[in-house]
Amino acid sequence: MDTSTSASLVTPSPRFRRFDSANTFPATGSHRRYYSSLPPSCSQSPRGGGGGGTANTDTTHVMVANSKTVAVPKVVTGDGGYLLEDVPHLSDYIQDLPIYPNPLQDNPAYSVVKQYFVNVDDTVAKTIVVSKESPRGTHFRRAGPRQKVYFESDEVQACIVTCGGLCPGLNTVIREIVCGLYHMYGVTRVLGIDVGGGYKGFYARNTISLTPKVVNNIHKRGGTILGTSRGGHDTSKIVDSIQDRGINQVYIIGGDGTQKGASVIFEEIRRRGMKVAVVGIPKTIDNDIPVIDKSFGFDTAVEEAQRAISAAHVESESIENGIGLVKLMGRHSGFIAMYATLASRDVDCCLIPESPFYLEGPGGLFEYIEKRLKEYGHMVIVVAEGAGQELLSENTRTLDKMDASGNKQLQDVGLWLSQKIKDHFSKKQKMTINLKYIDPTYMIRAVPSNASDNVYCTLLAHSAIHGAMAGYTGFTVGPVNGTHGYIPFQRITERQHKVVITDRMWARCLSSTNQPSFFSKLQLFEKKAGGIHVDDLENFG
């Protein structure tokens, strides 16, 4: 660290030993060397940056003809097709921010760590396996503690909010944010946004003071101690509440709709020039958030789904022509259904939203069910909640409604399919069947996270904390190819992650069930010819 920077260092919280500038690894160029990639019609103005590099044009917003501020992604290109999709930093829009030493170096827990801090130029490759035709070199900033931080421990007033539906691991993430801020950085003021939960909680005056003692055992419980809700997003009111309460770090836990809301909150905070770090932690039990390897709660959901599938298998094989039908979560993505099927090996047919199916005629579901029952005397069907929606009656589809988050309210495909199967075999085939329908949705959502998800939630929380303390904002965290990175909001909200049915993983699922694809030759050709997003190329097994 240079002399000029050392002179400006402020003594950290007395809970840690004094920072020793001689005991740090050499600093490298910081994110100030990075700049935004702007459309030709836009101009950019110089802005200050964070930590030790030479100032350059690194703004993340531009003024356009209608005088509106438009967010532009921070992009860096380099040799060999290298491209860094960077995240915003507080110094992009706030000048002359003070910089402080990171107290982690003097934290006893980190005393044996060989390298305290992540190199400021470290990045995470979005795709490992590439070909000449595929996009190459896209990277994200690597998550982890930085040598310099932009918040003093005593000045931090953090808040945590949970939005959307329940998911295993919510309480674990809350616990680890609180404990991580306290034990790693000496932050003692953390608020939980309560009273109705979700974004609506910002409008209320009541909050929960969160300390390590308060959250000590919450990871053993399902749900969220803060409560949650959908909708209720009023950007001005939320930012006013953040400003009035003196909050300067906001941790928002939720799915893609929640992260879109977090992005809007960040833009308003930047417009007002507030020193507030906005961090998103992606939560979706369906695993439908792109870029990241998986979302927390997914492993637990797959594990719990096994119980329902096992029950369906026992029921079906214990009676003549028994059919066990299990509906699992998956509005637009069939990952839970697919992985639960692969893990179980008791499933004879897996139906997901990405793979169309039909009921009647040669190669249809009814024909397959009849064949399976004649050969084995029983079968188990797993259907994701978003599968087959296009097959529901026209009457049903005219009742389309939206929930508070703007998501389409799906019809119960499990009940519909159960009735269709019963009607077909009773009226047309004169064949007696015994069908048992199991819907474990709310049982799965409400359980505590398992060991795998608990570890994962800890890593997510710590990555979020390190990023906020280092001054990064307007980003979400998650593992990319096994290494945690900081990802711009727009990258995880631009689309949904879906099962690629021309991928080997779906082929493995089909081979385990021995079911037909339910595709016509024309449909199969169309699927192979196109309709695959470039970001899904990395999923090819």
Side-chain angles (χ1 to χ4, degrees):
M1 188 180 297
D2 59 37
T3 310
S4 62
T5 304
S6 300
S8 66
L9 296 179
V10 180
T11 304
S13 171
R15 295 181 66 248
F16 303 110
R17 299 194 306 276
R18 183 173 177 80
F19 181 83
D20 180 7
S21 60
N23 194 27
T24 62
F25 65 89
T28 62
S30 77
H31 71 282
R32 291 177 67 185
R33 298 190 296 111
Y34 303 131
Y35 54 90
S36 295
S37 176
L38 301 177
S41 60
C42 301
S43 61
Q44 59 183 7
S45 56
R47 291 279 179 184
T54 303
N56 206 330
T57 53
D58 63 350
T59 67
T60 55
H61 62 283
V62 293
M63 301 302 292
V64 292
N66 61 2
S67 300
K68 278 193 172 184
T69 302
V70 178
V72 177
K74 294 174 69 174
V75 175
V76 183
T77 57
D79 297 334
Y82 175 90
L83 187 148
L84 171 66
E85 295 189 19
D86 206 355
V87 296
H89 193 274
L90 292 172
S91 59
D92 292 340
Y93 63 93
I94 301 178
Q95 300 292 322
D96 303 320
L97 279 174
I99 304 171
Y100 309 98
N102 192 326
L104 268 183
Q105 178 164 302
D106 298 311
N107 188 319
Y110 276 70
S111 60
V112 296
V113 178
K114 183 176 287 188
Q115 180 180 323
Y116 297 118
F117 306 114
V118 170
N119 187 308
V120 72
D121 288 327
D122 282 357
T123 60
V124 179
K126 178 177 174 294
T127 305
I128 294 178
V129 180
V130 298
S131 66
K132 287 196 298 185
E133 290 78 20
S134 63
R136 292 189 285 172
T138 300
H139 290 67
F140 300 106
R141 187 170 292 279
R142 183 183 173 189
R146 265 47 178 183
Q147 190 176 33
K148 303 165 186 175
V149 295
Y150 285 75
F151 291 95
E152 280 192 291
S153 301
D154 291 343
E155 78 169 296
V156 174
Q157 170 104 315
C159 78
I160 306 172
V161 61
T162 53
C163 304
L166 293 183
C167 176
L170 283 170
N171 278 335
T172 306
V173 174
I174 294 169
R175 181 189 190 279
E176 297 311 316
I177 292 175
V178 174
C179 292
L181 282 169
Y182 187 89
H183 294 302
M184 291 192 297
Y185 288 98
V187 173
T188 59
R189 295 186 297 164
V190 184
L191 298 176
I193 302 300
D194 193 19
V195 188
Y199 283 128
K200 291 188 290 188
F202 279 104
Y203 312 155
R205 296 188 176 275
N206 295 338
T207 56
I208 302 174
S209 180
L210 300 175
T211 66
K213 185 176 181 179
V214 170
V215 301
N216 187 44
N217 291 312
I218 64 172
H219 61 292
K220 300 175 183 177
R221 298 157 46 187
T224 165
I225 63 166
L226 301 179
T228 185
S229 67
R230 299 186 185 276
H233 190 284
D234 186 315
T235 307
S236 294
K237 285 185 179 180
I238 291 171
V239 176
D240 287 345
S241 175
I242 291 170
Q243 196 165 17
D244 293 344
R245 288 176 167 140
I247 294 169
N248 48 25
Q249 288 186 11
V250 182
Y251 297 91
I252 301 174
I253 309 169
D256 56 349
T258 300
Q259 301 304 312
K260 288 176 184 176
S263 177
V264 174
I265 290 170
F266 157 68
E267 293 295 343
E268 176 63 16
I269 284 173
R270 178 167 59 180
R271 188 188 69 80
R272 297 188 189 187
M274 297 163 57
K275 184 185 176 183
V276 178
V278 180
V279 183
I281 299 176
K283 174 233 67 173
T284 168
I285 202 169
D286 294 346
N287 197 37
D288 59 0
I289 288 182
V291 180
I292 63 175
D293 297 343
K294 66 177 179 180
S295 51
F296 74 83
F298 176 70
D299 280 354
T300 304
V302 172
E303 184 177 304
E304 286 297 312
Q306 302 304 293
R307 304 179 192 275
I309 293 173
S310 178
H313 183 248
V314 170
E315 287 283 351
S316 65
E317 69 175 357
S318 301
I319 194 168
E320 181 184 8
N321 290 331
I323 300 176
L325 177 60
V326 180
K327 186 185 79 173
L328 296 176
M329 287 159 292
R331 294 179 56 85
H332 306 288
S333 303
F335 287 103
I336 293 179
M338 180 176 71
Y339 276 85
T341 295
L342 279 167
S344 169
R345 299 292 170 170
D346 286 331
V347 179
D348 303 295
C349 184
C350 178
L351 305 173
I352 61 173
E354 297 89 338
S355 184
F357 65 93
Y358 57 98
L359 301 178
E360 301 180 1
L365 180 61
F366 291 156
E367 181 184 82
Y368 175 61
I369 292 174
E370 184 176 353
K371 177 184 175 183
R372 172 71 195 187
L373 291 178
K374 285 179 178 178
E375 289 181 4
Y376 294 92
H378 69 277
M379 75 176 299
V380 175
I381 302 172
V382 166
V383 58
E385 62 181 322
Q389 291 292 317
E390 71 280 1
L391 297 179
L392 299 181
S393 68
E394 192 64 34
N395 249 355
T396 305
R397 286 193 282 124
T398 55
L399 300 178
D400 289 349
K401 295 180 180 178
M402 299 291 180
D403 63 18
S405 297
N407 299 315
K408 180 181 174 182
Q409 291 183 348
L410 302 180
Q411 304 302 316
D412 192 330
V413 69
L415 283 174
W416 175 82
L417 187 58
S418 297
Q419 194 58 51
K420 282 289 185 180
I421 294 172
K422 290 176 182 177
D423 291 345
H424 175 79
F425 284 97
S426 64
K427 295 176 182 178
K428 295 185 178 181
Q429 299 296 324
K430 306 300 181 184
M431 182 178 180
T432 301
I433 63 165
N434 292 281
L435 188 145
K436 309 295 182 185
Y437 173 49
I438 299 174
D439 180 359
T441 300
Y442 295 106
M443 294 175 65
I444 291 175
R445 295 191 342 166
V447 299
S449 51
N450 64 11
S452 172
D453 273 324
N454 272 335
V455 173
Y456 180 28
C457 289
T458 300
L459 299 180
L460 284 173
H462 285 193
S463 295
I465 293 167
H466 294 317
M469 292 298 294
Y472 295 110
T473 180
F475 69 93
T476 191
V477 297
V480 181
N481 294 320
T483 302
H484 282 240
Y486 297 141
I487 306 163
F489 277 136
Q490 71 270 12
R491 288 298 275 114
I492 65 163
T493 59
E494 63 188 4
R495 68 182 189 92
Q496 287 178 314
H497 183 37
K498 296 187 177 184
V499 174
V500 180
I501 59 174
T502 51
D503 179 14
R504 288 204 238 342
M505 186 57 77
W506 179 239
R508 293 176 185 124
C509 183
L510 296 182
S511 67
S512 76
T513 63
N514 202 29
Q515 72 188 70
S517 68
F518 301 119
F519 273 129
S520 67
K521 289 184 179 180
L522 177 60
Q523 286 175 317
L524 190 58
F525 175 79
E526 290 172 346
K527 286 293 179 183
K528 284 186 175 181
I532 302 175
H533 194 282
V534 291
D535 286 348
D536 288 324
L537 292 171
E538 65 202 55
N539 297 323
F540 274 50

